[in-house]
Amino acid sequence: MKPCAFEYFNPQSVQEAIALLDRYGDEAKIIAGGQSLVPMMNFRLARPEILIDITGIKKLEYIKTEGDELVIGALARERDIEQSPLVVEKWPILSKAISFIGHSAIRNRGTIGGSLVHADPSAEIPTSLCALNGNVKVVGPSGEKILQPEEFFMTYLTTSLEPSDLLVEVRIPALPEKTGWSFGELSRRSGDFAIVAVGILLFTETTGVCREARISMGGVAPTPVRAEEAEALLAGQKITEKLIAEAAQQAAEETDTEPDYHASAEYRMEMARVFVKRGLQEACNMLNGGQ
Amino acid sequence: MTDSRRIMVKVNGVDYERLVEPRQLRVDFLRDDLELIGTHFGCEHGICGSCTVLFNGRAVRSCLMFAVQADGADILTVEGLADGKQLHPLQVAFREKHGLQCGFCTPGMLMTAYEFLNENSNPSEEEVRKNMSGVLCRCTGYKQVVDSVMEAAQQMRNK
Ligand SMILES: Cc1cc2nc3c(=O)[nH]c(=O)nc-3n(C[C@H](O)[C@H](O)[C@H](O)COP(=O)(O)OP(=O)(O)OC[C@H]3O[C@@H](n4cnc5c(N)ncnc54)[C@H](O)[C@@H]3O)c2cc1C
Ligand code: FES
Ligand code: FES
């Protein structure tokens, strides 16, 4: 099929984009990379009457640091973030997570803002944002707000954005020097959406003892989720194989899965356990190897 | 029908100026308006890769962009690969290593490999496999595609 007819605008500034959103409300849709929206338009699952192309707002393409935070403009392309030397060096988990998204031609167009607003629960960027304790900056007609992941992701493909809001920026705090991390996922074919995606961060001060653990899981609930009780099992402890197995089991119990076309609920839960276990082992080995 | 827009676009080094309806997909613009039918159109939703072209130097799905978004852009399609009658080393390698059978996926394979080899002139077979996994082929079983890209990489390095 082909998309329905629409009127096309290409604002060159955030103010202009918001004014258009404010004027057209529900009839309008933003297009960034188009890698999630255009497939839906081609199938006529989305039929916006007004399309607001924000890719002309070049000043939202930045990837930089402010203080020791990573700050990324909503229109930074997935591929540019994946390959950014800054990200690869200091936030490698984000680069690795993005490398799992679709294929290079998809990542060449897809943007960080688009992936977050699309809010697929198994998507890699939302899952890593939760692990990294990042937040998003949103601008609307009534001003600016900063939202934490739990205030932003509501349920499947749904965020707390108002129709006239624009996501403009993503902020990610610095990682401590002694960080072990991993990002892994299960998908049927290379490039497919993940059945289960798991991002792990382990922080340590004393060799072998975990100060803080973060376990973020995608694909196992209506939004990406942190396995908080499993994290609590690990915090302040010496990490052993036995503890890893317990934490992985606990994480699997913190999922809220539903069966779908790709996998049964039980399978997703079991795979969450397996991928948390492997992820913790990998992050742990990184810490041990790095000392 | 909504108002058409005038766009200027460079395709394979040739400048075009055309009126396009906003809802027209890039791939249809190339095929129907410019009659460059080398770019193929399969799934219409980004999965198959047969519509891949270079957009300002980067491989993109032309079924997931609108023609209006090409205003001012520089596009390379499979028709632009050869230098006159001299085939591009990728095209030669695909012919010699049997990287195609029916040829439906081939434009997408070539443009995907073109960007990939520009970025990585000495790839491992594993890297080739991962990168070419973004284009689906129903004929070859992929082995010959991988062989073709490896061969082209070598030929291009030897130049
Ligand atoms: C074949 C294929 C495979 C893919 N595989 C994966 C995968 O494995 N993992 C994965 O995570 N993704 C995958 N994707 C999706 C890809 O990552 C998309 O790029 C991403 O989900 C959306 O980003 P976009 O910039 O293309 O957004 P668009 O498609 O342009 O927009 C998506 C939605 O967000 C809204 N929006 C966009 N930007 C903003 C903004 N700044 N403010 C407010 N609203 C905004 C739009 O209105 C729309 O509703 C795949 C896509 C394809 C076609
Ligand atoms: S037609 Fe564009 S990817 Fe299949
Ligand atoms: S050669 Fe027939 S689909 Fe690839």
Side-chain angles (χ1 to χ4, degrees):
Chain A
M1 260 203 276
K2 303 292 173 190
C4 294
F6 54 81
E7 214 177 320
Y8 176 81
F9 291 95
N10 52 343
Q12 305 294 308
S13 72
V14 171
Q15 290 71 14
E16 235 182 289
I18 290 170
L20 285 164
L21 284 168
D22 204 24
R23 168 142 40 111
Y24 292 108
D26 279 348
E27 290 163 33
K29 201 93 180 110
I30 289 174
I31 179 169
Q35 303 299 291
S36 294
L37 182 60
V38 183
M40 294 204 295
M41 290 175 67
N42 287 354
F43 288 136
R44 299 202 174 184
L45 297 170
R47 300 158 171 248
E49 285 170 38
I50 311 282
L51 201 63
I52 304 175
D53 183 352
I54 57 173
T55 52
I57 313 177
K58 298 288 173 212
K59 77 182 232 302
L60 287 186
E61 288 177 358
Y62 53 85
I63 303 170
K64 60 180 185 189
T65 47
E66 267 178 26
D68 53 9
E69 279 188 327
L70 174 63
V71 192
I72 304 180
L75 288 172
R77 305 283 175 191
E78 291 162 348
R79 194 108 185 276
D80 289 331
I81 304 169
E82 177 193 2
Q83 296 180 337
S84 151
L86 174 67
V87 176
V88 171
E89 193 202 345
K90 295 202 168 137
W91 289 270
I93 186 174
L94 182 61
S95 170
K96 175 76 183 285
I98 292 177
S99 72
F100 284 103
I101 298 177
H103 307 284
S104 49
I106 306 297
R107 300 195 293 276
N108 275 340
R109 291 299 299 165
T111 64
I112 188 167
S115 173
L116 290 166
V117 177
H118 187 61
D120 188 298
S122 63
E124 290 81 1
I125 292 176
T127 304
S128 32
L129 189 79
C130 291
L132 287 161
N133 278 354
N135 60 48
V136 298
K137 192 202 280 180
V138 173
V139 180
S142 53
E144 224 177 79
K145 55 195 169 192
I146 306 276
L147 299 171
Q148 304 302 321
E150 62 279 12
E151 302 167 309
F152 180 72
F153 298 116
M154 293 293 114
T155 181
Y156 294 102
L157 309 181
T158 309
T159 69
S160 57
L161 284 195
E162 302 289 338
S164 328
D165 284 345
L166 193 69
L167 190 159
V168 291
E169 188 176 89
V170 178
R171 276 185 178 263
I172 295 176
L175 294 174
E177 202 177 311
K178 286 183 187 165
T179 298
W181 62 270
S182 73
F183 195 98
E185 69 173 53
L186 173 72
S187 62
R188 289 256 181 258
R189 294 167 303 195
S190 145
D192 279 7
F193 267 95
I195 292 173
V196 170
V198 173
I200 304 241
L201 289 168
L202 292 181
F203 307 138
T204 182
E205 268 144 22
T206 333
T207 310
V209 178
C210 162
R211 175 166 62 78
E212 182 187 343
R214 301 206 197 130
I215 303 172
S216 176
M217 304 182 289
V220 296
T223 64
V225 284
R226 287 274 293 272
E228 289 176 5
E229 290 178 37
E231 292 175 0
L233 285 180
L234 296 161
Q237 302 297 314
K238 193 167 166 56
I239 306 223
T240 59
E241 274 303 313
K242 181 158 167 288
L243 188 58
I244 287 180
E246 278 170 29
Q249 183 60 41
Q250 176 59 43
E253 280 162 26
E254 291 177 67
T255 59
D256 175 15
T257 53
E258 280 185 29
D260 67 9
Y261 170 79
H262 301 285
S264 67
E266 295 78 8
Y267 183 66
R268 272 182 207 268
M269 204 172 150
E270 174 60 8
M271 287 304 109
R273 187 188 66 75
V274 170
F275 276 79
V276 169
K277 184 170 162 209
R278 283 187 199 161
L280 285 170
Q281 285 166 336
E282 205 181 306
C284 233
N285 289 342
M286 189 180 292
L287 278 175
N288 297 338
Q291 277 165 7
Chain B
M1 194 170 129
T2 46
D3 288 350
S4 291
R5 285 222 182 185
R6 185 167 300 280
I7 63 166
M8 309 258 279
V9 56
K10 195 190 272 295
V11 182
N12 304 330
V14 180
D15 289 315
Y16 296 90
E17 191 178 337
R18 288 286 190 282
L19 267 181
V20 297
E21 215 194 326
R23 73 184 193 120
Q24 187 181 37
L25 295 172
R26 168 86 45 80
V27 61
D28 292 323
F29 172 73
L30 292 170
R31 292 178 56 88
D32 300 344
D33 295 20
L34 303 190
E35 297 182 359
L36 293 169
I37 58 171
T39 301
H40 290 167
F41 194 25
C43 68
E44 281 187 340
H45 64 290
I47 302 284
C48 74
S50 65
C51 68
T52 306
V53 301
L54 261 73
F55 174 70
N56 294 333
R58 297 180 117 184
V60 301
R61 304 294 205 228
S62 60
C63 68
L64 298 186
M65 292 186 77
F66 296 102
V68 279
Q69 296 180 292
D71 192 24
D74 189 351
I75 293 174
L76 183 71
T77 71
V78 70
E79 288 93 341
L81 277 186
D83 181 6
K85 287 208 174 328
Q86 178 78 45
L87 289 180
H88 187 275
L90 266 166
Q91 293 169 307
V92 175
F94 268 69
R95 186 174 65 191
E96 302 214 323
K97 296 281 173 187
H98 305 284
L100 66 148
Q101 287 177 28
C102 79
F104 189 85
C105 66
T106 314
M109 290 286 184
L110 291 171
M111 302 318 287
T112 302
Y114 180 89
E115 181 200 41
F116 174 64
L117 294 184
N118 275 346
E119 289 184 357
N120 183 352
S121 60
N122 194 5
S124 67
E125 190 177 313
E126 190 52 39
E127 288 168 331
V128 171
R129 275 186 187 280
K130 176 152 194 339
N131 197 71
M132 300 309 292
S133 72
V135 188
L136 299 182
C137 175
R138 297 288 85 149
C139 303
T140 61
Y142 302 102
K143 173 155 188 350
Q144 299 94 305
V145 171
V146 175
D147 292 347
S148 305
V149 177
M150 292 298 283
E151 168 73 13
Q154 185 166 9
Q155 294 304 331
M156 287 161 74
R157 281 199 306 279
N158 291 346
K159 267 204 170 165

